[in-house]
Amino acid sequence: MVALDAPPAAAPAARMDGRMRLVLVVLLVAQFMLAVDFSILNVALPVIGEGLGFSLGGLQWIATAFALAAAGFTLLFGRLADLLGRRRVFLGGMAVLGAASLAGGLATTPELLMAARVAQGLATAAVTPAGLSLLTSAFPEGPLRDKALGLNGALMSAGFTTGAVLGGVLTDLLSWRWAFFINVPVALAVLLVAPAVIEESRPAARPRLDVPGAVTVTGGLLALVLGLTAAGEHGWAAPATLVPLAAAAALLTAFPFVERRSPEPLVPLRILRRRTVVWGNLAGLAAFATETSLVFLMTLHLQDVLGFSPLAAGLSFGVLGAGTVLGGLLAPRFLGRFSPRAALVAGGALQAAATLALLGIGDERSTYGLLLAATFAGGVGNMLAIVGFMVTATSGLPDSEQGMATGIATMTQQIGITLGTPVMSAVVVTAATLPGGIARAVAVNAVLVLLAALASAVFLRKR
């Protein structure tokens, strides 16, 4: 067995040829755009609600509809990419994303906007795992793939931050509609260039789709995201939360039994038994859930405690974005010298320490410098852990199963993004005051990161 805590004994030369660079640029542009799309509407939601007549309760469904489709269908589309062709699914998803973005920008009623958001979520569920599997299969395992995944992670995280800032700028200077329109030329450029530089990738013998498995896992993930979203709005004890969470538990528990009876399972159980897949994805879940929810917590602190404007709060997270970009650039070198396991442990430890430092911020603006320094360091650690997670969760598998592996990893990413904020919201309201609740949630956040780092150290060590 290959050691999990040491780099490979021999690795190919880490040099990309011209075609590899073109492939990398096309895929990174697409992934960056998808990351921007996750956060670009957050600042614009109140303006959209006023412009199209959304009710206060219906406004949050602009984000929820996208998250439901993006997270619920990711694993299914990841497998379809293996079966139908990754380039075909990637290009089809990009075409849907461009059309849905145009429709969203032109929407005149809440119903049309919601339909566009669902279509954007479905397109994201198709493009993200297909693009990631094209990337992992285009670059051999080792330094080249580590470098590509590092750049991918850095631009993804920078995209989340850019989306928050860009959404505020476009809404203030132009219109919320440009938060949709900005995707259209990017999607068109990718559709024009990608067929010439990206080769098709799929198995020679095309297996059948596991329909019962697809229905079970997709239904379970949809119910899980719906329940987590309802928890943030209604609380954890509300029927609107408990019913979908119970349905999710039942469906996801049944999924392995369905797969065991399937002749061509959606996710073969042998993959779910791999330590790298299980513990790598759990570490990735913690990394995404904690960092995205920390942005939520610090947004509360900046706006409701320190009195910052939404745009000023968004610009403050440019420091976090710079930290994640630096972490993504450093990660390939770190993995080359040490190992993916070491990246998970060191990145998690740095993120946990930086998060704990945030307990030192108070209700005076004099602590703003500490917030900036801690979020920068936490961004470096978080991206180091995320690249370690992506390499761990996709290594050691044949190219024919890369779509499945990246589908699982992408599902982990999107569930983590959806999971973090409701959980931390529930922690915040347990305290008597908002600053006390934020401090309590920050402590819980740091403990979760530290536990994930310790689990990686223990369960991914060499046997």
Side-chain angles (χ1 to χ4, degrees):
M1 179 182 293
V2 176
L4 296 174
D5 57 353
R15 294 184 62 86
M16 296 186 188
D17 58 29
R19 186 177 185 85
M20 282 183 171
R21 291 191 181 94
L22 282 174
V23 170
L24 184 61
V25 168
V26 171
L27 295 176
L28 291 185
V29 166
Q31 298 288 11
F32 180 78
M33 184 183 75
L34 294 173
V36 167
D37 218 32
F38 265 101
S39 56
I40 195 170
L41 284 184
N42 291 346
V43 177
L45 286 180
V47 181
I48 294 174
E50 292 175 7
L52 294 185
F54 275 89
S55 66
L56 186 61
L59 198 59
Q60 60 97 18
W61 279 97
I62 297 176
T64 301
F66 179 89
L68 279 170
F73 289 88
T74 294
L75 189 59
L76 173 60
F77 279 119
R79 189 53 174 160
L80 284 174
D82 280 340
L83 305 182
L84 303 178
R86 293 161 191 160
R87 189 181 71 168
R88 179 181 296 177
V89 172
F90 175 80
L91 294 176
M94 288 300 299
V96 171
L97 184 64
S101 298
L102 181 62
L106 297 174
T108 55
T109 65
E111 292 77 15
L112 288 175
L113 187 77
M114 293 297 295
R117 284 300 277 168
V118 170
Q120 281 186 320
L122 289 172
T124 299
V127 172
T128 305
L132 198 53
S133 59
L134 283 169
L135 189 147
T136 56
S137 57
F139 297 91
E141 216 172 285
L144 281 179
R145 184 181 293 182
D146 294 350
K147 183 176 182 180
L149 288 174
L151 290 170
N152 181 74
L155 281 180
M156 274 182 55
S157 194
F160 288 121
T161 306
T162 302
V165 176
L166 190 60
V169 171
L170 290 174
T171 302
D172 283 347
L173 298 182
L174 296 173
S175 163
W176 63 264
R177 296 182 182 277
W178 281 95
F180 285 94
F181 288 149
I182 196 170
N183 290 335
V184 177
V186 181
L188 184 60
V190 171
L191 287 170
L192 290 174
V193 176
V197 300
I198 299 177
E199 297 179 355
E200 185 57 280
S201 171
R202 64 184 175 194
R206 187 182 305 177
R208 292 177 299 173
L209 178 64
D210 172 24
V211 175
V215 171
T216 304
V217 73
T218 302
L221 291 172
L222 287 171
L224 178 62
V225 175
L226 186 61
L228 293 174
T229 305
E233 183 182 2
H234 305 291
W236 291 94
T241 302
L242 295 176
V243 171
L245 287 181
L251 288 168
L252 295 177
T253 301
F255 178 64
F257 297 97
V258 173
E259 296 301 88
R260 188 173 290 119
R261 298 174 62 88
S262 173
E264 295 178 348
L266 185 71
V267 182
L269 295 182
R270 70 178 184 280
I271 291 180
L272 296 180
R273 296 190 186 103
R274 292 178 64 95
R275 284 187 298 151
T276 51
V277 172
V278 174
W279 293 105
N281 277 282
L282 286 175
L285 181 69
F288 279 104
T290 53
E291 193 68 10
T292 53
S293 61
L294 190 66
V295 172
F296 162 73
L297 294 173
M298 291 302 99
T299 300
L300 283 181
H301 183 81
L302 287 169
Q303 294 189 44
D304 296 343
V305 178
L306 298 184
F308 280 52
S309 69
L311 184 57
L315 291 172
S316 299
F317 292 114
V319 174
L320 171 63
T324 56
V325 170
L326 178 61
L329 295 175
L330 293 177
R333 295 184 180 181
F334 187 95
L335 267 66
R337 184 169 182 178
F338 299 102
S339 67
R341 171 179 174 266
L344 285 169
V345 176
L350 176 56
Q351 183 186 340
T355 304
L356 283 173
L358 290 170
L359 293 175
I361 63 176
D363 56 2
E364 299 292 334
R365 293 199 177 192
S366 59
T367 59
Y368 182 62
L370 173 60
L371 186 148
L372 294 180
T375 53
F376 176 82
V380 175
N382 179 254
M383 187 48 56
L384 186 60
I386 285 175
V387 177
F389 140 65
M390 289 302 309
V391 173
T392 301
T394 58
S395 295
L397 294 169
D399 282 351
S400 61
E401 294 178 347
Q402 281 299 314
M404 183 193 312
T406 54
I408 296 172
T410 305
M411 177 193 70
T412 295
Q413 165 192 319
Q414 293 173 349
I415 293 295
I417 292 169
T418 307
L419 171 70
T421 298
V423 171
M424 293 304 152
S425 298
V427 175
V428 169
V429 299
T430 61
T433 64
L434 179 60
I438 293 173
R440 186 174 296 180
V442 166
V444 171
N445 192 295
V447 169
L448 290 175
V449 178
L450 192 57
L451 288 175
L454 291 173
S456 299
V458 172
F459 295 106
L460 290 175
R461 70 183 186 274
K462 180 181 177 181
R463 289 182 178 177

